[in-house]
Amino acid sequence: MKISHITFICRDIVKSAQLFCDLFGGKEIYSSDPHNFSISKEKFLLIGHHWIALMEGNPIEQSYNHIAFHIKEDDLPTYESKLMHYGLKIMPSRARHPEEGQSIYFYDYDNHLFELHTGTLEKRLEFYSNYK
């Protein structure tokens, strides 16, 4: 089994689609204008090989539920600059050992938490197993 798609509820799907395309390298592949086939207006994006659906609706409450995107460590300053350009709320990273990688946490316009992370699952598991 694999994930089919991930849906985010956004109050302004045009603004959110622009953010996702610029920040995550997404490509818009569908817009429901002028026909609405679902419960609200929607846009479909591809980020890498992942189908991301944006649907119009009310924002959610902030939480630690999040999606992390892998980035190169050298790209951290570039992404931080983009986040500041968009006026997004950057959160302090949790305490972690350098071997786990570095992260930038931020909320988008609708309180979805994202993480830009430089580590990998393999490196984290290696660190955890050697820490005992």
Side-chain angles (χ1 to χ4, degrees):
M1 184 179 319
K2 66 178 187 173
I3 293 174
S4 168
H5 64 279
I6 299 170
T7 300
F8 293 100
I9 305 301
C10 306
R11 93 184 98 212
D12 183 339
I13 61 173
V14 171
K15 186 176 180 181
S16 291
Q18 290 170 341
L19 174 69
F20 281 43
C21 288
D22 182 44
L23 192 61
F24 301 130
K27 179 180 177 186
E28 185 176 319
I29 57 170
Y30 169 78
S31 179
S32 63
D33 289 334
H35 304 289
N36 184 19
F37 297 105
S38 192
I39 61 173
S40 67
K41 292 181 184 177
E42 59 188 348
K43 288 185 178 286
F44 296 163
L45 311 175
L46 281 180
I47 298 177
H49 298 288
H50 302 287
W51 169 15
I52 304 296
L54 304 179
M55 296 187 77
E56 193 172 70
N58 294 322
I60 60 172
E61 290 186 29
Q62 289 184 354
S63 76
Y64 190 69
N65 289 328
H66 67 277
I67 294 179
F69 288 91
H70 183 264
I71 63 170
K72 297 176 185 172
E73 192 166 332
D74 292 346
D75 291 336
L76 281 166
T78 300
Y79 281 101
E80 191 165 12
S81 178
K82 283 186 176 188
L83 295 172
M84 290 188 300
H85 168 77
Y86 282 104
L88 299 174
K89 184 177 181 182
I90 300 174
M91 303 302 295
S93 184
R94 69 169 177 81
R96 67 175 75 224
H97 192 278
E99 291 184 41
E100 293 181 271
Q102 296 182 45
S103 292
I104 300 173
Y105 291 90
F106 68 95
Y107 286 101
D108 74 355
Y109 307 123
D110 299 289
N111 294 328
H112 302 113
L113 181 61
F114 292 95
E115 177 183 5
L116 303 175
H117 185 62
T118 64
T120 64
L121 174 61
E122 294 78 19
K123 286 285 192 184
R124 185 172 294 188
L125 292 176
E126 180 182 335
F127 168 70
Y128 286 178
S129 68
N130 293 331
Y131 192 71
K132 296 178 182 181

